[in-house]
Amino acid sequence: RAKEKGRACYEIFDPTMHVQALARLELESNLRHAIEQNQLFMCYQPIISFKTHQLKSFEALIRWQHPQRGIISPAEFIPVAEETQLIVPMSLWLMKDVAGQIKAWQQDPAFPREITESLRVSINISVVHLQQKQFIEQVDQVLQETGVSGKHFIFEITESILIQNVEDIIQIFRCLRDRAIDITIDDFGTGYSSLSYLCDLPITSLKIDKSFVGRMIQSSQNRRVVETILSLTQQLELFSVAEGIETIEQFNLLKTLGCHYAQGYLFGRPVRSPIASQWLTHAPLPLLDSL
Ligand code: C2E
Ligand code: MG
Ligand code: MG
Ligand code: MG
């Protein structure tokens, strides 16, 4: 018994693991102060219509400006935030920040009302946050405090964690839809998606994961996965969004296949709001004219 334990301890004290654990602890304690110290900020990436080439929405993506390390990717700190429940205050902060931005765009006479009136912004909601008892209350608090309607929001949920408590999730989604918030399943096709509950979830769209989009030209198998997801969205009468579009070939193929909305570096990277604002004009950007 002791021997077993000794062996386990030996593994735990592997020096590289020790370094990793320390780095993670440091990240966690830094993250605790990141909100108060204004180190978090949102970037906005355009999502455009395949049909009109006009802006449809933005996806809001969080960034962390770390005083020593520079900009840290959400892929690195969101999992830490989820494990430590820091995701709750962080999500509340970002919902308010995004709502404030939507309001600022609406109130700025530089932007046509018909664009800002119908503009939606996607935010990524962690299932850890979604399942908190106070989640809907917090959403209501944000909508009330800022006076921004739910019809300006899309909540992106990554499917991987949806498998548990389907009934609870359906209830929460219904509450969101009651507030006119749209819901999309993010990274569709990569998680543990179950077709059996997809029909029961009151969602509005599916977002095809960028890994399929990135390989769909070279690999006929990936293209068939994309085709299958698109026919699924048609059958379920949902909208489809393709993320990670980097080439005109990918854009053209997805357009031919009937995908509704496009997102990717081909049109624009995630940028801070003053730069993203350039999308809020009538004219499709020159790049898109040539597509
Ligand atoms: P996601 O929600 O699937 O976001 C799309 C990711 O793809 C973003 O990475 C975006 O910058 C990147 N991307 C967009 N177009 C292209 C492209 O053409 N090519 C390539 N290679 N990548 C592209 P980012 O911003 O690093 O975010 C990574 C993930 O972190 C997000 O994946 C999302 O799951 C999570 N995340 C980001 N912001 C938030 C947030 O505010 N809250 C939560 N809970 N999670 C977030
Ligand atoms: Mg997303
Ligand atoms: Mg995601
Ligand atoms: Mg994604």
Side-chain angles (χ1 to χ4, degrees):
R1 196 83 205 252
K3 214 174 175 183
E4 262 172 40
K5 219 177 166 187
R7 215 160 160 194
C9 287
Y10 173 74
E11 274 168 17
I12 287 166
F13 289 118
D14 173 325
T16 58
M17 282 180 74
H18 186 57
V19 170
Q20 278 172 12
L22 275 180
R24 171 133 173 0
L25 264 179
E26 201 191 335
L27 191 72
E28 182 190 329
S29 82
N30 287 342
L31 192 54
R32 283 189 192 279
H33 305 288
I35 299 180
E36 302 138 49
Q37 292 172 358
N38 270 327
Q39 293 169 3
L40 300 178
F41 64 96
M42 302 310 290
C43 278
Y44 295 86
Q45 185 178 28
I47 298 176
I48 64 157
S49 157
F50 272 103
K51 236 187 221 152
T52 66
H53 296 181
Q54 302 261 6
L55 181 76
K56 150 67 164 62
S57 55
F58 286 117
E59 178 171 5
L61 294 154
I62 199 166
R63 300 287 179 264
W64 179 10
Q65 176 75 58
H66 188 281
Q68 282 88 42
R69 291 183 50 196
I71 291 180
I72 303 184
S73 155
E76 188 177 340
F77 68 86
I78 292 289
V80 177
E82 287 180 335
E83 283 166 39
T84 55
Q85 300 289 314
L86 281 171
I87 193 77
V88 176
M90 182 185 294
S91 293
L92 189 60
W93 170 82
L94 86 84
M95 286 195 289
K96 283 185 186 169
D97 193 71
V98 170
Q101 183 60 61
I102 293 170
K103 208 171 162 188
W105 276 326
Q106 285 173 342
Q107 289 173 345
D108 190 332
F111 308 122
R113 272 193 82 83
E114 59 268 38
I115 290 180
T116 56
E117 280 287 286
S118 58
L119 181 71
R120 283 187 184 261
V121 178
S122 279
I123 56 181
N124 293 281
I125 298 290
S126 161
V127 178
V128 175
H129 186 211
L130 188 84
Q131 289 177 325
Q132 300 277 328
K133 279 204 190 67
Q134 337 89 292
F135 177 69
I136 294 294
E137 267 171 53
Q138 289 181 332
V139 171
D140 283 337
Q141 187 195 331
V142 171
L143 299 182
Q144 271 159 25
E145 274 180 20
T146 60
V148 174
S149 157
K151 72 172 192 197
H152 293 293
F153 286 99
I154 304 167
F155 283 3
E156 297 197 1
I157 321 280
T158 298
E159 57 172 343
S160 55
I161 330 171
L162 286 179
I163 16 156
Q164 307 146 359
N165 326 330
V166 178
E167 284 306 315
D168 294 349
I169 300 281
I170 291 173
Q171 279 310 316
I172 298 165
F173 281 13
R174 285 220 180 94
C175 288
L176 295 175
R177 303 284 283 122
D178 286 345
R179 287 147 181 82
I181 296 171
D182 273 358
I183 302 165
T184 189
I185 304 293
D186 203 355
D187 305 332
F188 189 78
T190 58
Y192 307 83
S193 63
S194 164
L195 294 177
S196 66
Y197 64 68
L198 200 57
C199 310
D200 301 326
L201 292 173
I203 57 173
T204 32
S205 55
L206 294 182
K207 202 173 209 185
I208 306 168
D209 191 69
K210 58 178 177 291
S211 62
F212 301 119
V213 173
R215 295 188 295 246
M216 69 185 293
I217 300 294
Q218 292 80 5
S219 147
S220 59
Q221 269 165 329
N222 276 274
R223 193 183 63 239
R224 282 197 290 271
V225 171
V226 171
E227 286 171 0
T228 305
I229 297 173
L230 287 173
S231 74
L232 182 67
T233 56
Q234 276 154 20
Q235 296 296 319
L236 297 176
E237 298 181 323
L238 301 171
F239 290 107
S240 48
V241 189
E243 68 176 11
I245 301 175
E246 294 182 355
T247 70
I248 291 180
E249 289 74 26
Q250 291 162 353
F251 177 85
N252 286 336
L253 181 52
L254 284 158
K255 186 171 182 161
T256 310
L257 295 175
C259 188
H260 296 106
Y261 302 110
Q263 177 181 7
Y265 295 165
L266 179 63
F267 321 106
R269 291 186 176 251
V271 287
R272 290 188 190 246
S273 63
I275 302 172
S277 301
Q278 291 171 5
W279 286 88
L280 297 174
T281 57
H282 275 297
L285 289 193
L287 163 72
L288 299 180
D289 288 340
S290 62
L291 292 179

